[in-house]
Amino acid sequence: VFNQTYVEEGLFDEEEDNLQGVLQVFRVFKLARILKLARHSRGLQSIIFTLTQSARELGLLIMILVITGLIFSSLAFYIEQGEDSGFTDIPTAFYWVIITMTTVGYGDIFPVSGLGKFVGTFCAISGALTMSLPLPIIVSNFEKYYEKQNRDDKLKLRRARIAEEKKKEESLRMGHFGLATSKV
């Protein structure tokens, strides 16, 4: 009865909010620990390298999405203004455009009128084309990094083999002169 009365009156809400905030901080620290593992994971290193090398292309993609998003959201809003379709303002229409262009398509907002569906069709087509433009460049950057990593690995193995062969050869020479204590 004691706890229920204080919770109903809202006296413990502030303490609960503080506890939630502290827990959020710990979750962020856990995420930071996972990011430290990138030093040891070649896959994560290659993804990070690819994204940093493709920053210009990704920036261009975002810029194109924003520009076409503003155009399509304005069109969708003004076409669907009299309809009961969920396009209450241009930012809501922009949300619909981004969801449509990235082909996620939640279905919570959709055009109702024929002209709105026509705009939606072109929005989806332009989104597919826009998303596919920078992909070859990003894939090319990934391939370059992957090939470089493979070359570096082969070079390290080759150097290690050469060093091992030199050690064996040196120990054999030393053995011929009676300087080596152990034979290989």
Side-chain angles (χ1 to χ4, degrees), residues 24 29 51 54 91 100 129-131 155 164:
Q24 286 287 25
F29 286 138
L51 291 177
S54 306
T100 302
L129 293 174
T130 301
M131 297 299 279
L155 184 62
E164 186 66 32

Side-chain angles (χ1 to χ4, degrees), residues 100-144:
T100 302
M101 289 182 79
T102 56
T103 66
V104 173
Y106 291 127
D108 54 349
I109 301 172
F110 53 89
V112 176
S113 68
L115 190 56
K117 291 177 182 179
F118 185 72
V119 168
T121 301
F122 276 103
C123 179
I125 291 170
S126 70
L129 293 174
T130 301
M131 297 299 279
S132 67
L133 286 176
L135 285 180
I137 298 168
I138 294 170
V139 169
S140 172
N141 287 340
F142 178 78
E143 285 177 347
K144 287 177 189 175

Side-chain angles (χ1 to χ4, degrees), residues 67-134:
I67 290 170
T68 55
L70 290 173
I71 292 168
F72 279 118
S73 63
S74 299
L75 281 172
F77 173 71
Y78 287 115
I79 290 171
E80 295 290 320
Q81 202 167 15
E83 306 291 331
D84 186 29
S85 59
F87 292 96
T88 55
D89 51 15
I90 292 180
T92 304
F94 187 79
Y95 157 77
W96 170 79
V97 167
I98 295 299
I99 296 301
T100 302
M101 289 182 79
T102 56
T103 66
V104 173
Y106 291 127
D108 54 349
I109 301 172
F110 53 89
V112 176
S113 68
L115 190 56
K117 291 177 182 179
F118 185 72
V119 168
T121 301
F122 276 103
C123 179
I125 291 170
S126 70
L129 293 174
T130 301
M131 297 299 279
S132 67
L133 286 176

Side-chain angles (χ1 to χ4, degrees), residues 13-184:
D13 287 343
E14 187 176 321
E15 290 178 18
E16 191 174 306
D17 289 342
N18 289 338
L19 181 62
Q20 290 292 332
V22 170
L23 291 176
Q24 286 287 25
V25 169
F26 284 122
R27 288 181 188 139
V28 170
F29 286 138
K30 281 184 180 180
L31 182 64
R33 280 193 329 201
I34 291 172
L35 293 177
K36 286 182 183 180
L37 293 176
R39 289 183 286 190
H40 307 292
S41 171
R42 296 185 74 198
L44 286 176
Q45 287 176 356
S46 63
I47 289 172
I48 290 169
F49 178 82
T50 302
L51 291 177
T52 56
Q53 292 298 311
S54 306
R56 289 180 59 195
E57 291 81 10
L58 292 171
L60 178 66
L61 173 67
I62 290 171
M63 185 182 74
I64 290 172
L65 282 174
V66 168
I67 290 170
T68 55
L70 290 173
I71 292 168
F72 279 118
S73 63
S74 299
L75 281 172
F77 173 71
Y78 287 115
I79 290 171
E80 295 290 320
Q81 202 167 15
E83 306 291 331
D84 186 29
S85 59
F87 292 96
T88 55
D89 51 15
I90 292 180
T92 304
F94 187 79
Y95 157 77
W96 170 79
V97 167
I98 295 299
I99 296 301
T100 302
M101 289 182 79
T102 56
T103 66
V104 173
Y106 291 127
D108 54 349
I109 301 172
F110 53 89
V112 176
S113 68
L115 190 56
K117 291 177 182 179
F118 185 72
V119 168
T121 301
F122 276 103
C123 179
I125 291 170
S126 70
L129 293 174
T130 301
M131 297 299 279
S132 67
L133 286 176
L135 285 180
I137 298 168
I138 294 170
V139 169
S140 172
N141 287 340
F142 178 78
E143 285 177 347
K144 287 177 189 175
Y145 181 77
Y146 187 74
E147 288 173 4
K148 181 185 175 296
Q149 286 292 88
N150 282 340
R151 277 193 315 263
D152 290 348
D153 287 347
K154 286 179 183 178
L155 184 62
K156 284 179 186 176
L157 286 173
R158 189 170 151 207
R159 286 181 180 166
R161 271 194 313 242
I162 290 172
E164 186 66 32
E165 288 175 12
K166 282 184 180 180
K167 265 187 185 177
K168 286 180 183 179
E169 186 179 311
E170 187 176 313
S171 67
L172 284 175
R173 277 193 219 145
M174 299 297 250
H176 287 300
F177 294 114
L179 299 173
T181 58
S182 64
K183 292 192 174 188
V184 177

